[in-house]
Amino acid sequence: MKRDVRILLLGEPKVGKTSLIMTLVGEEFPEQVPLRAEEITIPADVTPEKVPTHIVDYSETEQTDEVLRDEIVKANVVCVVYDVTQEETIDKIRTKWIPLVNGDAEKGKKVPIILVGNKSDLRSGSSMETILPIMNQFSEIETCVECSAKNLKNISELFYYAQKAVLHPTAPLYDPEDKQLKPLCVRALSRIFSISDQDNDRLLSDSELNTFQKSCFGNPLAPQALDDVKTVVWKNTSDGVLDNGLTLNGFLFLNTLFIQRGRHETTWTILRRFGYDDTLELTDDYLYPQLRVPLGCSTELNHLGHQFLQRVFDKYDEDRDCALSPSELKNLFAVFPYMPWGNEAYSSVTTGDNNYVSLQAFNCQWMLWAYVDVQRCMEYLGYLGYPILTEQDSLTTAITVSREKALDLEKGQTQRAVFLCKVIGPRGTGKTSFLQAFLGRHNLTRPDCSSAACSPYAVNSVQVTNQEKHLILFEVDVETEFLKASDAGCDVACLMYDTTDPQSFSYCASIYKQHYMDSGVPCVLVSSKVDQPEVAQQYGMTPAEFCYKHRLPPPMPFSTTHPDTRIYSKLAWAAMYPVDRSRSWSVEAVRQHLNGSEMSSTSFWLRMALGTAMVTVLGFALYRALNRPK
Ligand code: GTP
Ligand code: MG
């Protein structure tokens, strides 16, 4: 909505422009007026719509055409004043003033115009008959009003209409020629209808109408008013009321009626409450609120966000099978300007037969959005109507920004629930299979991920010390990634090498040395294809020796033929209890371990941390023995 309103009065000489302004301000008719009144500003609190309003006079004698053109450009609304007793001042509306104001403007960009018939005290009848054809000819004319400066008749009304024409314009909503709502307005109101239809039965029940009324206007409708509304719709439409509820057509009819009765502000209040601006697009303030995410912090949906999404899921799970079919999913996203859930989303979460999406998979996708692109996540929540339905001020209340990673590292523990793991390894190592196995898609001879459709992400829940956490695996593209140091950033790095390829490990070793050795990011080595015969790696030392040297947990074996899914918990565990490799094991990690975590492969290191004596006694031989492939 505009923050202030600039009203310009135009018209033939001596029609009474200056007198109208002076009468409004002085509350009495001045016998003597100057040629042109000074520009006046009416403070917000004394105007009906509480918006500061500037009123600007024009005088042909005092102002040049150039100045006039300038004033027209600055004006938000133009009052074309005529003298009801002078026909020629009416003719000039059509032949001079409207072409001057809007002659070059394209449709939809025209300045709204109010026709003002002054000196009604001098004429008994009305000028309506002459005015109506003009109103029909120019759709930018919002309304006309007859008044008298002399009798102080309709003076404040005239300025009220002018203010309203700016703040609640007709043009974006309604086509006066077709006498119907414009397509963009229908689109916006239809979205508002779907969001307000909380049980998804395509009807607004009494209670839904009340909630709607309350969120838009602050108070519920009286029972009688509710009935009256429905009766009006029922009488005037064939399909506006069904089973005592308001249909979409009924809702659209009601808004058409508001506008036709000059109550645009009602429809505008609804639209603005749901985030729309004057062009009927969702505002940036609504969709993209400021959320400060300092470097090293991550973003997650909090319980408010999850609760809301659960509600949305239940609403669209029409057959109550606890999964969204592709068509249910399409309905859910119908309030979006585009479909955000495509093949990429399907490939990044677990999906059932026929691409059914469980609540758990649905949540996983949202957690992915929240983590990797929080702005987009909030935008999506905005399309779903989160702030309105949850009665929150902003989309940001659905998001939690974690504390800085450096602090987590320092304390050796974290409050986060979602972790990002980058899966790194040379081409053909089995990274995609590793991601797919995380989603329960095993034994793919060749992962059926054509590059365009397949997401580089896989998200699923994991159990870490009896808590449910979520792990995002991201497959790093060997060729394009790691150009910048920031590409290496994540909560845990999974360095994967192929036990059947002798060149494989050296790649991991060099990535580790280049990006992770001094970074504080926990690293886990994974050896892939362990169901096949192992070959010696062409590197200065064996992977096990490398891990020993760099104080990394020994490589974890993985095979897609018998995937050990505990490996994913281990990755999350490593992310949750990061360890400063240059110092010692974190106390928290040790405590968690002693509490019964099943990190068998790291036990050796824990013993190292607990007693150096053991190291000297057992040395590297024990390390080897403990980690011999099973
Ligand atoms: P320009 O500045 O020359 O363009 O004229 P204007 O449109 O500003 O008109 P102005 O206010 O100077 O009024 C012109 C004459 O009409 C004055 O003599 C006013 O007293 C008179 N007048 C203005 N309004 C009314 C009205 O409502 N009724 C009557 N009877 N006379 C009016
Ligand atoms: Mg004047």
Side-chain angles (χ1 to χ4, degrees):
M1 199 159 97
K2 286 238 158 45
R3 291 185 206 285
D4 59 355
V5 171
R6 193 172 173 89
I7 303 173
L8 173 64
L9 277 76
L10 296 180
E12 292 301 294
K14 302 290 159 241
V15 291
K17 300 179 293 297
T18 309
S19 302
L20 284 169
I21 297 173
M22 310 279 282
T23 306
L24 176 81
V25 180
E27 288 178 43
E28 61 178 3
F29 178 65
E31 292 297 340
Q32 294 289 319
V33 291
L35 277 174
R36 179 169 180 267
E38 289 290 325
E39 176 180 327
I40 59 160
T41 299
I42 304 180
D45 53 338
V46 297
T47 72
E49 297 280 354
K50 306 285 178 244
V51 176
T53 300
H54 315 280
I55 300 176
V56 184
D57 195 6
Y58 165 71
S59 156
E60 199 177 273
T61 327
E62 289 211 338
Q63 288 169 295
T64 62
D65 285 357
E66 212 160 55
V67 173
L68 170 62
R69 219 155 282 136
D70 264 13
E71 284 297 349
I72 290 173
V73 171
K74 284 195 278 179
N76 303 123
V77 55
V78 170
C79 293
V80 179
V81 186
Y82 62 92
D83 181 338
V84 292
T85 64
Q86 306 284 325
E87 281 276 340
E88 63 276 18
T89 66
I90 299 180
D91 288 343
K92 284 284 173 61
I93 299 172
R94 186 202 301 269
T95 57
K96 177 175 174 188
W97 294 108
I98 295 185
L100 193 71
V101 174
N102 277 332
D104 301 327
E106 15 176 319
K107 215 178 165 207
K109 294 250 165 85
K110 294 186 173 176
V111 181
I113 288 176
I114 311 266
L115 298 185
V116 180
N118 189 31
K119 308 194 189 178
S120 65
D121 56 288
L122 297 179
R123 183 178 162 163
S124 52
S126 141
S127 60
M128 268 311 145
E129 227 163 84
T130 352
I131 287 300
L132 265 178
I134 304 178
M135 290 192 65
N136 286 333
Q137 185 183 347
F138 300 97
S139 60
E140 65 264 43
I141 300 176
E142 288 277 335
T143 189
C144 68
V145 52
E146 285 194 355
C147 60
S148 161
K150 188 160 187 178
N151 289 354
L152 292 108
K153 199 179 144 219
N154 275 349
I155 305 299
S156 51
E157 282 82 351
L158 136 68
F159 290 100
Y160 172 59
Y161 288 135
Q163 203 182 44
K164 222 174 90 165
V166 178
L167 300 177
H168 313 298
T170 313
L173 305 183
Y174 185 74
D175 190 332
E177 284 153 43
D178 299 347
K179 299 204 172 19
Q180 59 183 13
L181 299 175
K182 288 193 173 169
L184 272 183
C185 180
V186 171
R187 189 187 73 174
L189 289 171
S190 303
R191 176 174 160 268
I192 292 171
F193 180 90
S194 323
I195 290 173
S196 306
D197 171 22
Q198 299 191 38
D199 59 3
N200 200 22
D201 64 353
R202 283 95 175 152
L203 294 172
L204 294 186
S205 66
D206 286 1
S207 97
E208 285 165 347
L209 270 171
N210 265 326
T211 311
F212 167 79
Q213 171 83 15
K214 231 172 97 187
S215 70
C216 291
F217 304 98
N219 48 349
L221 278 168
Q224 186 56 45
L226 246 175
D227 283 342
D228 291 348
V229 166
K230 280 186 284 185
T231 309
V232 171
V233 176
W234 181 75
K235 278 191 181 151
N236 289 283
T237 61
S238 56
D239 58 356
V241 179
L242 200 84
D243 298 335
N244 202 32
L246 197 64
T247 65
L248 173 60
N249 275 347
F251 183 67
L252 293 176
F253 167 78
L254 208 56
N255 280 283
T256 314
L257 200 67
F258 293 149
I259 295 164
Q260 286 171 343
R261 301 259 169 99
R263 302 298 304 269
H264 309 68
E265 63 270 30
T266 311
T267 298
W268 273 118
T269 305
I270 296 168
L271 290 164
R272 293 204 173 103
R273 175 67 184 107
F274 279 79
Y276 289 93
D277 66 10
D278 281 1
T279 62
L280 296 185
E281 296 296 336
L282 291 169
T283 62
D284 286 356
D285 282 353
Y286 174 81
L287 277 186
Y288 310 107
Q290 287 272 331
L291 180 72
R292 221 178 71 81
V293 184
L295 210 72
C297 299
S298 68
T299 43
E300 295 175 7
L301 284 161
N302 57 28
H303 69 285
L304 280 174
H306 278 298
Q307 253 170 29
F308 173 73
L309 288 168
Q310 163 103 51
R311 225 170 109 183
V312 172
F313 182 93
D314 290 343
K315 169 177 170 182
Y316 287 94
D317 178 19
E318 290 192 56
D319 55 7
R320 304 269 172 270
D321 64 348
C322 299
L324 297 178
S325 68
S327 80
E328 286 171 341
L329 204 64
K330 202 170 145 228
N331 290 340
L332 188 151
F333 289 114
V335 290
F336 281 52
Y338 52 87
M339 177 63 175
W341 192 296
N343 288 337
E344 246 197 80
Y346 277 120
S347 68
S348 59
V349 295
T350 54
T351 42
D353 299 339
N354 310 322
N355 274 347
Y356 273 49
V357 176
S358 66
L359 176 62
Q360 128 89 0
F362 185 69
N363 279 334
C364 281
Q365 184 60 47
W366 279 95
M367 282 185 252
L368 175 62
W369 284 332
Y371 191 105
V372 299
D373 190 350
V374 72
Q375 284 300 332
R376 190 166 60 142
C377 179
M378 289 195 289
E379 176 189 330
Y380 290 174
L381 288 169
Y383 293 138
L384 291 172
Y386 167 84
I388 301 125
L389 293 175
T390 56
E391 299 177 38
Q392 294 292 320
D393 292 336
S394 162
L395 291 166
T396 55
T397 60
I399 305 289
T400 294
V401 179
S402 77
R403 75 176 176 195
E404 273 174 52
K405 195 155 183 65
L407 255 173
D408 279 358
L409 281 169
E410 200 179 290
K411 307 243 185 246
Q413 60 172 312
T414 180
Q415 261 102 49
R416 299 186 190 194
V418 185
F419 302 96
L420 174 65
C421 170
K422 290 202 168 161
V423 181
I424 303 152
R427 199 161 285 300
T429 311
K431 300 183 295 295
T432 307
S433 307
F434 184 68
L435 264 71
Q436 293 295 315
F438 185 37
L439 303 177
R441 299 177 193 138
H442 303 308
N443 293 328
L444 298 173
T445 36
R446 174 131 191 82
D448 64 343
C449 279
S450 63
S451 56
C454 195
S455 167
Y457 291 102
V459 200
N460 209 344
S461 62
V462 285
Q463 290 290 324
V464 183
T465 55
N466 294 328
Q467 301 170 58
E468 182 175 71
K469 300 286 170 183
H470 283 82
L471 185 67
I472 301 171
L473 297 183
F474 174 74
E475 178 177 347
V476 175
D477 182 347
V478 182
E479 246 117 81
T480 60
E481 300 290 326
F482 288 112
L483 301 174
K484 308 187 290 291
S486 61
D487 288 340
C490 56
D491 302 310
V492 54
C494 172
L495 295 162
M496 184 179 265
Y497 70 96
D498 181 347
T499 50
T500 67
D501 175 0
Q503 314 289 340
S504 194
F505 182 73
S506 69
Y507 176 86
C508 294
S510 80
I511 292 280
Y512 174 78
K513 286 186 182 160
Q514 210 181 328
H515 297 287
Y516 292 107
M517 198 155 73
D518 306 313
S519 70
V521 174
C523 288
V524 172
L525 271 128
V526 171
S527 50
S528 71
K529 309 187 188 174
V530 293
D531 53 295
Q532 292 178 41
E534 182 178 351
V535 300
Q537 291 295 324
Q538 289 175 11
Y539 187 71
M541 59 185 106
T542 67
E545 286 164 339
F546 183 87
C547 290
Y548 180 78
K549 181 176 164 209
H550 292 281
R551 310 193 64 183
L552 293 167
M556 290 199 268
F558 182 78
S559 157
T560 46
T561 52
H562 303 288
D564 178 1
T565 52
R566 283 178 306 177
I567 202 166
Y568 303 109
S569 299
K570 289 176 187 176
L571 286 169
W573 190 88
M576 268 179 85
Y577 301 110
V579 171
D580 188 338
R581 282 188 293 276
S582 65
R583 288 188 231 147
S584 65
W585 286 88
S586 83
V587 177
E588 182 61 19
V590 174
R591 191 178 62 77
Q592 287 292 336
H593 178 79
L594 296 177
N595 280 349
S597 134
E598 22 89 349
M599 298 292 119
S600 59
S601 57
T602 55
S603 63
F604 176 75
W605 296 108
L606 287 164
R607 265 179 259 164
M608 264 196 65
L610 297 171
T612 24
M614 279 186 82
V615 183
T616 31
V617 177
L618 299 170
F620 186 59
L622 173 68
Y623 175 78
R624 266 225 179 102
L626 279 171
N627 297 291
R628 188 171 288 150
K630 293 176 191 113

